[in-house]
Every structure is written in structure tokens, then in C-alpha cells.
Amino acid sequence: MKVPRLVMFMGCLAVWPLLGAEQPHVSTPGTPGVKSEGFKTVGVEEFDKLRAEGHNPVLDVRTPAEFAKGHMPSALNIDVNGPDFEKKVAALDKSKTYLVNCASGVRSAKACGKMSHLDFRNLYNLQGGFRAWEKAGKPVEK
């Protein structure tokens, strides 16, 4: 009887801890407090505290149309799916801490990943994105 490779792989993963080996760490973007590749995902309250400090730019990575419908005060809009995203963010000051948001937290995690590869070291992704921000009753500009 031939055993499918996936079944063999899953069996190896199940036995791995029994052999005393370390299990690989897997984190998912959007998990609060978990440091992903080059950025940290935080909840609305921590994001707002960082924003209130006044020197951490808010980067909204939604489309210009989404941004026009409402955004955080003083936010800068650079569409993560735009053809010139990397060129535009590369022109930003890499020494600053950036607070990155999108609609739900997925595109902002993607943007943080791209920015970390461009040597940005202080990035915070908003868990739940702008929807969570609005739901918490935080300030919105149009």
C-alpha cells in the first residue's frame, strides 16, 4: 500500500515534539501582540496610543476611493496594490515608526511585509483595520 506524501508529512509533524525537536513557530498576520516578519500587529487601543503620541505617521494602504470615504486623521494614503507602492514608501523616512492600516488588516499586513523588506524597522499593523477603528468609535475624517 502506497502512503500519500501529505499523510507522511503530517505524521512526521505529529511525532516531531516526541523526538525532542523544536516545532517551527507559525504566526498569522492579524494576531495581536505577535511579531510577524518585521512588524507587530496591535489592537485598536494600542494603535490609538501610538497615534496619539503625534510623531508616528499613520499610513493607510487602501485604495484612494476607500480612503476618500473616511480615514484616520492625518493619515497618508499609499495604495498597497498600486503599481508604485514600493517606490512611494521607499521615499519615506525609514527611521520613523509607521502605523499601517487598511480595511480589515490583511492588506496592511502585506504592506508591512513589503516595507520590512525595504528596511523599515518600526511597523505596526492594525488588527481588524479601519473597520475595527470605526467600530471602536475612534475619530474619522472625510
Side-chain angles (χ1 to χ4, degrees):
M1 181 172 123
K2 194 170 189 180
V3 179
R5 288 183 186 175
L6 180 60
V7 172
M8 287 178 55
F9 176 73
M10 296 305 288
C12 289
L13 285 180
V15 174
W16 192 316
L18 300 174
L19 299 174
E22 252 184 75
Q23 288 185 322
H25 173 71
V26 178
S27 64
T28 56
T31 306
V34 171
K35 183 95 171 167
S36 290
E37 186 179 334
F39 65 94
K40 184 176 179 184
T41 295
V42 297
V44 171
E45 294 307 321
E46 186 173 351
F47 194 92
D48 195 25
K49 284 179 189 174
L50 291 164
R51 187 188 69 84
E53 290 176 5
H55 55 83
N56 299 321
V58 175
L59 179 60
D60 189 317
V61 297
R62 297 177 298 159
T63 65
E66 289 173 298
F67 185 81
K69 291 179 183 176
H71 55 270
M72 292 178 201
S74 304
L76 170 65
N77 181 224
I78 303 176
D79 184 353
V80 69
N81 292 321
D84 53 356
F85 175 78
E86 289 185 20
K87 180 180 177 185
K88 286 182 176 180
V89 295
L92 300 174
D93 183 349
K94 293 179 183 175
S95 69
K96 292 189 177 205
T97 296
Y98 288 90
L99 310 176
V100 187
N101 77 281
C102 65
S104 67
V106 175
R107 286 177 286 174
S108 53
K110 176 182 172 182
C112 285
K114 286 183 174 188
M115 292 174 74
S116 70
H117 285 113
L118 294 171
D119 295 326
F120 286 85
R121 297 289 170 234
N122 300 304
L123 301 167
Y124 289 87
N125 174 44
L126 176 59
Q127 181 193 27
F130 190 69
R131 291 181 193 136
W133 181 264
E134 283 185 305
K135 186 175 181 179
K138 298 296 183 180
V140 173
E141 289 182 345
K142 291 188 179 187

